[in-house]
Amino acid sequence: MKYKSVFDIIGPVMVGPSSSHTAGAARIGLLARSLFGGQPDHVDIYLYGSFKDTYLGHGTDVALIGGLLGFDTDDSRIIEAKKYADENGMQVNFIEMSEERSHPNTAVLHLSKGSERLTIEGISIGGGKIELVSINDYKITLSGNYHSLLVFHRDSFGTIARVTTILGNYQINVSQMNVSRKEKGEVALMTIELDDTITEAIIDEIYSADGVERVIEMKES
């Protein structure tokens, strides 16, 4: 995603004085919603560093909520995001954290709906740009600027090759790929950024590959 000016990032009605604390926060919320597959019922948001210090004055709180509701960075409804969250039955709690994180603009979101759970950590790196640096405690690096797949799989020989072979068979080009694991032989996570869009049929084929346990699609934001 390319920007010509700051106004391409925050839009004419974006809340707050800071693209890092408002536009970036909204994008973190949007990507969290995308990874979760829709709107959660409950979200606990842990704020660190300057996010924690200035989130009320800079509109970081309403921007995060707006993103979780599916509002883009220039959506005027962000200003009243808390009202819309109440109307849509989404409960959001903000928790201020005193410990330091690797980046001063850090938010950790715990999303839930029924039995579904997801935890993501996002950082706002300036100019409205962000990175997701962990999901469910797996270390990742995703910008949200590309169509991406997150593939949870058994940490066993051949699984990665099976997934990449399926993509190759459909001539889907991989722009970046990373594998993260917590323990050898347990569940690992492939994050795959793609140059091309991908169909549900291809995702289903990847999901059916031996060793794959879960596939999450993240569309370009």
Side-chain angles (χ1 to χ4, degrees):
M1 182 178 294
K2 296 181 179 179
Y3 305 112
K4 296 179 180 178
S5 74
V6 68
F7 298 105
D8 294 325
I9 302 168
I10 64 174
V13 290
M14 183 63 207
V15 296
S18 168
S19 60
S20 294
H21 288 196
T22 49
R27 291 199 67 220
I28 291 172
L30 277 168
L31 288 185
R33 178 188 174 95
S34 175
L35 288 169
F36 194 68
Q39 181 187 301
D41 288 338
H42 184 97
V43 188
D44 289 326
I45 302 178
Y46 296 81
L47 299 174
Y48 297 82
S50 59
F51 264 8
K52 181 261 294 184
D53 294 335
T54 64
Y55 72 100
L56 292 173
H58 285 182
T60 305
D61 53 344
V62 292
L64 284 163
I65 294 171
L68 288 163
L69 290 168
F71 302 163
D72 210 339
T73 54
D74 61 352
D75 194 316
S76 61
R77 293 175 294 175
I78 284 179
I79 298 170
E80 297 185 289
K82 292 180 180 179
K83 180 192 75 172
Y84 289 108
D86 289 340
E87 292 176 354
N88 284 274
M90 185 175 73
Q91 181 183 1
V92 182
N93 297 319
F94 288 92
I95 300 97
E96 300 176 9
M97 303 298 291
S98 58
E99 67 184 81
E100 293 186 1
R101 231 41 178 195
S102 60
H103 194 280
N105 298 331
T106 296
V108 177
L109 287 68
H110 297 265
L111 298 83
S112 64
K113 182 175 183 178
S115 62
E116 292 293 316
R117 301 286 187 275
L118 180 73
T119 298
I120 70 107
E121 180 175 348
I123 60 175
S124 180
I125 60 177
K129 298 180 180 179
I130 69 163
E131 289 182 358
L132 297 187
V133 296
S134 76
I135 177 171
N136 291 349
D137 295 324
Y138 289 91
K139 299 301 180 184
I140 64 172
T141 302
L142 282 177
S143 65
N145 293 336
Y146 297 92
H147 204 116
S148 304
L149 293 178
L150 287 80
V151 182
F152 292 89
H153 61 94
R154 292 196 301 273
D155 182 29
S156 56
F157 176 78
T159 306
I160 295 172
R162 282 188 284 273
V163 171
T164 55
T165 296
I166 292 170
L167 294 172
N169 288 341
Y170 288 96
Q171 299 183 334
I172 302 294
N173 193 51
V174 174
S175 62
Q176 181 173 290
M177 179 175 173
N178 184 62
V179 178
S180 175
R181 66 183 185 183
K182 299 175 184 178
E183 298 288 342
K184 182 179 178 181
E186 300 296 329
V187 176
L189 171 62
M190 272 184 273
T191 54
I192 310 169
E193 293 188 335
L194 307 170
D195 286 337
D196 309 288
T197 57
I198 192 168
T199 66
E200 288 294 327
I202 301 173
I203 294 173
D204 289 343
E205 188 171 338
I206 291 171
Y207 184 74
S208 65
D210 186 36
V212 173
E213 297 190 354
R214 184 183 182 192
V215 181
I216 299 176
E217 178 186 19
M218 187 172 77
K219 296 182 179 180
E220 180 181 348
S221 64

